[in-house]
Amino acid sequence: MRIAVTGSTGLIGSALVRSLLADGHEVVRLVRQRSRTGVQPDGTVGVGWNPPLLQIDRAGLHGVEAVVHLAGAGVGDRRWTDAYRQEIRDSRVLGTETLAGALAELAEPPRVLVSGSAVGYYGQTGDRVIDEEAPPGDDFLARVCVEWEAATRPAEEAGIRVAHARTGLVLSAEGGAGGRLFPLFRLGLGGRLGDGQQYWSVISLADEVAALRHLIDTPELSGPFNLAGPEPVTNGELTELIGRALGRPTVFAVPEFALKAVLGDMAVEVVGSHRAVPARLLATGFRFAHPTAEAAVRAAV
């Protein structure tokens, strides 16, 4: 297949591209730097786009059969100023609007668009188990996710199958939260965040990629899917699992007030709780290679 990927240099996008290339697929990367357009050394093809200006090279999408949309400003990359909140929102909503509109206008649209989202869609849910039937929350990230998913509507109206990948915390030493946490744990500086009772829905990088490919390859799948392991764990439990896997103590703890002082409003997400389970994904017959948090941690380290 000829498959287009946005966010192809991020943690998930890079792993997805490697997986697709290994299986002989042709990969089109949507890129913003002019120097990365055209055929690249790894055999991928760079196609230009500029989401803030709603610009995209439609000709470069010719013949694309599937699209995986992962681009968006990193939620944990900076302190949440008003300007960065706007960037988090616009990078997702404007990017999706640009892409979905362009796909809808193609003479031969792709069969499927797998568009990124997050378990943050549900807001803070405490210790309540939630699946894809749960309503959206009303905090900042929940509102962003609602707009993000709604922005795919032009593609749906053009008859393109759309699946929303509501991803949890992807565990990997290559980047993301794991890329920041594991070095601290290796130094013996790891510990719970806040009281450690908040639930985190974790998934291994391998399972994240496999789930995205499952959504691409299974023709009847559309709508929201939680991409998270079947067994969410508390931050305290995850801390113990990482410490055990690395053979390091986990005696340190960062109190909530300190997190708020350093992270500002983003601390709400760190100490917030998402106990999301992949009910719809499991119902499709998908099987996790790392179904438990312990297995996902061991795969990561």
Side-chain angles (χ1 to χ4, degrees):
M1 296 175 66
R2 191 167 197 247
I3 302 174
V5 181
T6 77
S8 64
T9 60
L11 173 66
I12 300 170
S14 296
L16 175 63
V17 168
R18 289 196 300 269
S19 175
L20 293 171
L21 291 175
D23 285 343
H25 297 289
E26 180 184 354
V27 176
V28 175
R29 299 178 185 261
L30 272 71
V31 297
R32 295 183 63 175
Q33 299 96 330
R34 186 182 298 272
S35 61
R36 295 180 55 222
T37 59
V39 179
Q40 301 299 301
D42 62 358
T44 61
V45 178
V47 170
W49 77 323
N50 191 336
L53 299 180
L54 305 182
Q55 296 174 346
I56 191 167
D57 177 8
R58 287 171 172 77
L61 296 175
H62 177 73
V64 164
E65 299 169 75
V67 179
V68 182
H69 176 40
L70 303 171
V75 170
D77 288 357
R78 302 183 206 166
R79 191 181 179 93
W80 285 4
T81 61
D82 288 345
Y84 197 60
R85 280 172 175 263
Q86 193 65 42
E87 185 174 346
I88 289 172
R89 183 263 178 197
D90 288 351
S91 66
R92 287 162 172 76
V93 177
L94 296 183
T96 305
E97 288 177 351
T98 301
L99 181 62
L103 297 177
E105 294 173 1
L106 293 176
E108 295 183 13
R111 295 196 296 267
V112 58
L113 166 62
V114 178
S115 190
S117 186
V119 295
Y121 174 93
Y122 307 105
Q124 305 303 326
T125 57
D127 61 0
R128 179 166 52 95
V129 177
I130 50 173
D131 62 18
E132 293 86 351
E133 298 299 319
D138 192 37
D139 59 25
F140 167 66
L141 284 184
R143 293 192 297 272
V144 168
C145 287
V146 169
E147 286 192 85
W148 192 4
E149 294 186 11
T152 63
R153 193 165 294 122
E156 294 181 61
E157 292 173 349
I160 300 170
R161 176 171 65 88
V162 176
H164 300 285
R166 293 177 181 168
T167 296
L169 176 66
V170 180
L171 289 179
S172 171
E174 298 178 32
R180 296 188 178 103
L181 288 174
F182 294 153
L184 293 176
F185 276 79
R186 286 192 173 95
L187 293 172
L189 301 176
R192 72 179 188 276
L193 304 177
D195 64 11
Q197 295 304 303
Q198 67 273 32
Y199 275 89
W200 286 8
S201 299
V202 300
I203 184 171
S204 72
L205 181 58
D207 280 332
E208 173 75 11
V209 169
L212 290 171
R213 295 195 57 175
H214 182 67
L215 295 180
I216 293 172
D217 294 337
T218 312
E220 63 271 21
L221 303 186
S222 62
F225 293 86
N226 291 339
L227 269 57
E231 299 181 12
V233 291
T234 66
N235 170 259
E237 291 169 334
L238 184 63
T239 295
E240 291 182 11
L241 290 173
I242 296 173
R244 193 183 311 150
L246 293 172
R248 295 291 186 272
T250 56
V251 295
F252 291 93
V254 184
E256 186 171 339
F257 76 85
L259 289 169
K260 289 180 177 178
V262 173
L263 301 177
D265 291 344
M266 193 180 72
V268 173
E269 283 302 303
V270 174
V271 298
S273 189
H274 305 289
R275 198 176 183 182
V277 295
R280 292 196 70 212
L281 192 63
L282 289 172
T284 69
F286 181 82
R287 294 294 176 261
F288 286 82
H290 310 110
T292 66
E294 182 175 11
V297 167
R298 292 192 175 279
V301 303

